[in-house]
Amino acid sequence: MAFKRLTKKRLARINSEMRTCGRKKKQRATIAGIVELAETGEYLLVYGKKGVARDAPNPGIVKGAPEKDETALAALLREIEEELEISSHLVKAKGYGGSHSVRSLKRKGGFWRKRYFIFHVVYSGDRDLIVNTDELSDYVWVAYEDIAERLAVLQATRPEKFKVLMKVFKDLKSGKRKKKARVKKPPSH
């Protein structure tokens, strides 16, 4: 699924699906964001403190559970601010990449699966970030061409997560190519 533009109607549907996630689908709602650095077009990968094994790298994207009565977008902006101390006024939501179900490593709240609601946001601040060490161990800005190599470690430890992340990055990139292709060239004289 290509990333879709965020409209009020789409956001209302996302919020509704997120709220009913635990009751109807027996999954834990998790809001996630692909963060793009406006200056370079690079993407943010974060490394969680809690890997499959303590010494195993666990690359991923910014994510977290929404709080009670919180909208999906508000939850994402809060998670970005909590994990990386990025002010929400430096982040602009650009699109929605759909929801994806992934097996959880730990049973949280009685659920063994997480439903990721994935957004694309553009960050217009400085590339040097402050990592909340209670949440993350590290981060890296990565060119699209290097994403697969950086995420490859997940193939053995978290194959579902690897497939979902590769799919959403591919969908995001293919949507950007289509937009560039649609730009009309001025007639030549």
Side-chain angles (χ1 to χ4, degrees), residues 101-104 113 154 158-165:
S101 180
V102 176
R103 185 178 65 82
S104 181
R113 296 193 72 76
L154 295 174
R158 303 283 311 277
E160 276 186 277
K161 180 180 176 182
F162 174 77
K163 286 178 188 172
V164 166
L165 288 173

Side-chain angles (χ1 to χ4, degrees), residues 129-148:
L129 303 174
I130 298 169
V131 174
N132 177 345
T133 55
D134 290 339
E135 303 264 345
L136 302 172
S137 63
D138 205 0
Y139 75 93
V140 64
W141 292 104
V142 180
Y144 175 79
E145 297 76 26
D146 299 325
I147 297 259

